[in-house]
Amino acid sequence: MICDAHVHVGYFNRRGYDAPFYYSPRRICSVLKRCGVWEFIFSSTSMQTVGVRFSDVHREAREVCRLFGRGAHPFLWITIDYLKYDPNLSVLHEGFYEGVKLHGQETPWLTVYEKELEAILTTAEEQEMPVMLHTGLGNEARSLGYLPHILRHASVKFNLAHGKPTDDVVRCLQTADQTFVDVSCMGEEEIDRVIRAGYADRLLWGTDFPVLSARSGEPLTQGMRRSLAWRMRVLPSIRLDDNFARFLGMPIEKQGAASAMQNAVIPDLQATSNRTPAPCRSCARG
């Protein structure tokens, strides 16, 4: 079974375009279905796009779920502007969103808005929601910077998305049992470091789709299939679907996994599966 823990929909800067390009729910869902993805967690990059109404972002998320079905798991990307718009995070009490996404390089939660960060995590804990944290190399997004907050919310599962820096991530995994890490933008050596430390059971498959294709200009289907071919080579024996289910706290059906994976990678991309997906820049907005 293919479960992608890091997908986006919405506006994002695309190579060759002067204005943000809209990656619509229909476009994203069609590529994921074509590539054999069964389950995925998604959030909207529209949240960081000037001029987009928050009500439209909520409608966008519902459209993804309508088009894809039960396999789509919406996470609310919370920015400081959104928190000002909905300070009580009332939308998280409605039963639609399944988790929260926070990006420290978009909103400096660790360095400026630490009080607000705690309020968000408290709400997530009350609603029994997992949290995705964008991690990077700067002080505003280092994994270790989040560790005190993670420990204060021991019942919340956290995905340290991108796994940056690797030593920080390993320490977080050692210290907090509820932490996971998705491998989007991680290299083979970084992934191997996590596996050798004994935490293969907390690795999540993530692609940051369609961000890397948007930056490179590669067609979306080709980019996703290349990522899946790379996964088959680098992580052939890790039960990533089980890890995904544990992160979300829900069972995931296993039947048909082999055929789905077989259909996901077209033969002429097998030869290119040794090409590591391009790493994120430290200022990535994915």
Side-chain angles (χ1 to χ4, degrees):
M1 180 179 292
I2 303 172
C3 303
D4 193 332
H6 198 146
V7 171
H8 293 296
V9 67
Y11 287 96
F12 195 81
N13 292 329
R14 181 180 179 182
R15 184 176 181 179
Y17 287 73
D18 294 331
F21 183 86
Y22 188 58
Y23 291 93
S24 69
R26 186 169 299 280
R27 185 181 182 91
I28 295 301
C29 290
S30 64
V31 173
L32 294 177
K33 288 180 178 180
R34 187 178 306 131
C35 292
V37 174
W38 285 41
E39 307 262 349
F40 65 97
I41 293 168
F42 73 96
S43 59
S44 178
T45 49
S46 295
M47 275 295 195
Q48 59 179 355
T49 305
V50 175
V52 176
R53 294 179 299 183
F54 295 130
S55 57
D56 289 337
V57 175
H58 296 319
R59 280 193 289 271
E60 179 183 74
R62 292 185 183 278
E63 179 67 1
V64 171
C65 293
R66 185 189 71 81
L67 290 169
F68 197 90
R70 293 176 56 190
H73 303 279
F75 274 37
L76 178 66
W77 184 323
I78 299 176
T79 66
I80 192 61
D81 288 338
Y82 184 82
L83 194 60
K84 293 174 182 177
Y85 166 80
D86 184 10
N88 296 320
L89 295 175
S90 58
V91 71
L92 296 183
H93 299 262
E94 296 174 1
F96 171 69
Y97 286 101
E98 299 181 34
V100 166
K101 157 78 180 272
L102 298 173
H103 196 308
Q105 288 168 304
E106 172 272 318
T107 296
W109 300 110
L110 290 175
T111 55
V112 179
Y113 298 109
E114 203 162 12
K115 179 180 177 181
E116 289 81 357
L117 170 61
E118 269 300 303
I120 293 169
L121 297 182
T122 296
T123 298
E125 189 164 33
E126 292 170 351
Q127 297 299 311
E128 300 181 348
M129 289 181 171
V131 174
M132 175 188 289
L133 299 170
H134 169 96
T135 66
L137 301 180
N139 289 334
E140 68 278 11
R142 290 179 68 96
S143 299
L144 209 54
Y146 286 109
L147 185 56
H149 300 279
I150 291 171
L151 293 174
R152 275 196 289 272
H153 300 276
S155 67
V156 177
K157 294 185 176 71
F158 290 88
N159 170 17
L160 302 173
H162 307 312
K164 307 295 183 189
T166 311
D167 287 343
D168 282 18
V169 166
V170 170
R171 183 172 171 186
C172 289
L173 292 170
Q174 290 171 339
T175 307
D177 292 340
Q178 80 273 29
T179 53
F180 293 74
V181 55
D182 82 51
V183 302
S184 60
C185 304
M186 292 179 72
E188 292 180 44
E189 292 184 4
E190 295 171 306
I191 294 171
D192 186 59
R193 171 85 171 85
V194 173
I195 293 173
R196 285 187 288 106
Y199 299 106
D201 62 339
R202 286 193 257 158
L203 281 173
L204 301 171
W205 174 249
T207 60
D208 210 4
F209 177 78
V211 169
L212 299 185
S213 289
R215 290 204 177 105
S216 68
E218 185 175 37
L220 294 184
T221 300
Q222 181 177 322
M224 174 58 80
R225 284 177 167 156
R226 190 183 299 282
S227 293
L228 290 168
W230 186 77
R231 159 188 157 148
M232 290 178 70
R233 184 177 64 81
V234 176
L235 297 164
S237 59
I238 307 270
R239 294 302 302 269
L240 297 166
D241 53 338
D242 291 348
N243 298 351
F244 183 95
R246 286 189 297 105
F247 174 68
L248 281 181
M250 61 180 293
I252 296 179
E253 297 178 5
K254 304 296 192 295
Q255 66 264 28
S259 61
M261 178 63 83
Q262 181 68 28
N263 293 332
V265 184
I266 55 179
D268 62 348
L269 285 180
Q270 294 284 4
T272 66
S273 65
N274 61 347
R275 177 173 156 188
T276 303
C280 299
R281 302 169 186 168
S282 61
C283 61
R285 290 289 193 261

